[in-house]
Amino acid sequence: MEFLTDYGLFFAKTLTFVVAIFIVVSLMVSASGRGKKSEKGHIQISKLNEKYKAMREALEHAVLDEDQLKLLEKDEKKRLKTEKADQKKAAKEKHKHEKDRKEEQSVVIDEHKKRVFVLDFHGDIKASANESLRETISAVLTLATPKDEVVVKVESGGGMVHSYGLASSQLARITNKQIPLTVCVDKVAASGGYMMACVANKIVAAPFAILGSIGVVAQLPNFHRLLKKNDIDYEMFTAGEFKRTVTMFGENTEKGREKFVEDLEDIHVLFKEFVAEHRPQVDIATVATGEVWFGRRAKDVNLIDLLQTSDEYLLDQVATADIFEVEFSVKKSLPEKLGFAVQTAVERALFSVWEKAQLNRWF
């Protein structure tokens, strides 16, 4: 027992020492990396046609016997040969009457097989995925044409007004280029999430996905009476009558509250105008009450266009289009890779105060 006790103490001391060294090294690496410019990340692209093909082939080898597999392989070779011959013949026909090189290049660019670019947006209150969305859209726009399609799978319950306003504007970059945009909602696109979805030319949702919530909410605690009870004064100095309408620590006035509610109403009006502009088929007075609708009911009030999951929508296009999944992979620092979020207590405190100062105006 004495040996086990001594060994346990030795092991605990050694482990503590190793962990301490590990943390110090991580902090040093993080500190040395600060201030240095580096790439934020890179674009990753995978062809979903190949993924689906591999899945089908795996099932075929598991289910079919040897003779059936040989027959399938023979049919596939024949199909590919015919397809290649048809493409070659079509290319000759298209370029037959072309006289200069520029016109020929233009035809080649315009006559490509339809491409579907698939992006993901998983939104939190601050729409933190905005940066990745910006990068992937920028990448897609360097190549996509009006003959292609961009599919964005949105999953968000909404959040800060300015953040989701920016996310919607990023999606508008696609439609501004006359490139068809489809938003697929498998779980939820409510409030700010629906603000993003309504920019699309087509909204596809699962039968029980949550949509709508076209409204604005704001909430904040007030500690004025607690401070007053403990003889603590809180002073705030502003220039401009409505520089600060309501506050967490001072005494809120009726005039300030009225102005704050007026601001919320104005945001709601802007939200309704935005939805009505992009989906003129909806009765905005009916849908802009802050209520939510499940997919089936959302279709009844024209909040969506088609009842389907994103998987079904993409699989339906495998035979006629090349489907590419595009994502932005963020480059992580060594501490982040090792599971450490290196951030000082001061930074955490400042960020917490900043968040509270936003007064929580949310879609």
Side-chain angles (χ1 to χ4, degrees), residues 202-247:
K202 180 166 54 182
I203 303 176
V204 180
F208 286 91
I210 297 172
L211 301 109
S213 189
I214 301 171
V216 188
V217 61
Q219 55 188 359
L220 75 160
N222 183 268
F223 301 99
H224 173 68
R225 284 184 293 178
L226 178 63
L227 297 178
K228 189 176 181 181
K229 182 179 178 180
N230 291 277
D231 297 324
I232 299 173
D233 293 328
Y234 174 77
E235 296 181 318
M236 180 172 59
F237 306 94
T238 63
E241 184 179 3
F242 295 116
K243 178 62 179 175
R244 179 70 70 233
T245 52
V246 292
T247 172

Side-chain angles (χ1 to χ4, degrees), residues 280-340:
Q281 63 267 48
V282 304
D283 179 359
I284 199 66
T286 300
V287 302
T289 59
E291 298 172 78
V292 296
W293 281 266
F294 288 101
R296 290 184 182 277
R297 301 289 181 257
K299 192 172 187 305
D300 293 338
V301 292
N302 295 316
L303 286 173
I304 67 170
D305 302 294
L306 183 64
L307 280 172
Q308 267 189 341
T309 64
S310 61
D311 301 299
E312 187 177 3
Y313 183 75
L314 293 174
L315 275 169
D316 285 347
Q317 301 196 66
V318 169
T320 58
D322 290 326
I323 305 175
F324 301 94
E325 190 172 51
V326 185
E327 61 178 328
F328 183 69
S329 179
V330 178
K331 187 176 181 180
K332 294 183 179 180
S333 64
L334 178 61
E336 288 173 328
K337 289 178 181 177
L338 298 172
F340 283 89

Side-chain angles (χ1 to χ4, degrees), residues 250-269:
E251 183 177 7
N252 290 320
T253 65
E254 195 58 39
K255 188 176 182 180
R257 291 189 185 96
E258 289 175 359
K259 175 59 178 172
F260 189 68
V261 171
E262 183 184 321
D263 290 343
L264 292 183
E265 292 289 349
D266 186 49
I267 294 171
H268 191 210
V269 169

Side-chain angles (χ1 to χ4, degrees), residues 37-202:
K37 290 186 177 179
S38 61
E39 292 184 7
K40 294 179 181 178
H42 62 277
I43 295 293
Q44 288 184 328
I45 301 169
S46 57
K47 192 172 182 179
L48 294 184
N49 302 68
E50 295 172 358
K51 174 187 172 183
Y52 296 138
K53 183 182 177 183
M55 291 166 63
R56 188 190 72 236
E57 289 176 348
L59 279 172
E60 287 172 350
H61 280 80
V63 174
L64 303 179
D65 59 36
E66 190 175 340
D67 291 335
Q68 290 174 317
L69 284 173
K70 285 181 179 179
L71 187 62
L72 274 178
E73 288 175 5
K74 186 178 179 180
D75 289 341
E76 181 65 11
K77 286 179 181 178
K78 186 177 180 181
R79 186 189 67 80
L80 290 174
K81 187 177 180 180
T82 303
E83 187 178 283
K84 189 174 181 180
D86 289 342
Q87 288 176 351
K88 191 174 181 181
K89 184 178 179 181
K92 285 182 179 179
E93 288 293 327
K94 284 181 175 38
H95 303 313
K96 188 176 180 181
H97 304 292
E98 297 300 330
K99 292 182 179 180
D100 64 65
R101 191 177 178 184
K102 287 184 179 180
E103 288 179 349
E104 184 177 320
Q105 288 176 340
S106 176
V107 170
V108 172
I109 292 171
D110 290 341
E111 296 299 333
H112 66 263
K113 185 178 181 181
K114 179 185 176 182
R115 295 172 296 214
V116 178
F117 300 96
V118 184
L119 317 180
D120 276 297
F121 182 90
H122 295 278
D124 55 18
I125 288 175
K126 295 177 288 184
S128 304
N130 253 331
E131 180 63 20
S132 295
L133 183 67
R134 179 177 71 87
E135 295 288 351
T136 51
I137 289 175
S138 295
V140 168
L141 290 182
T142 61
L143 184 63
T145 73
K147 291 191 176 182
D148 299 319
E149 180 183 3
V150 178
V151 174
V152 182
K153 296 190 284 185
V154 172
E155 184 179 328
S156 174
M160 292 180 175
V161 174
H162 56 284
S163 299
Y164 278 89
L166 176 59
S168 301
S169 298
Q170 293 293 355
L171 294 185
R173 294 170 58 197
I174 300 169
T175 55
N176 288 343
K177 295 289 185 180
Q178 308 304 315
I179 299 169
L181 170 64
T182 300
V183 165
C184 290
V185 184
D186 288 327
K187 294 181 180 178
V188 57
S191 207
Y194 188 76
M195 186 183 189
M196 293 178 64
C198 74
V199 175
N201 304 106
K202 180 166 54 182

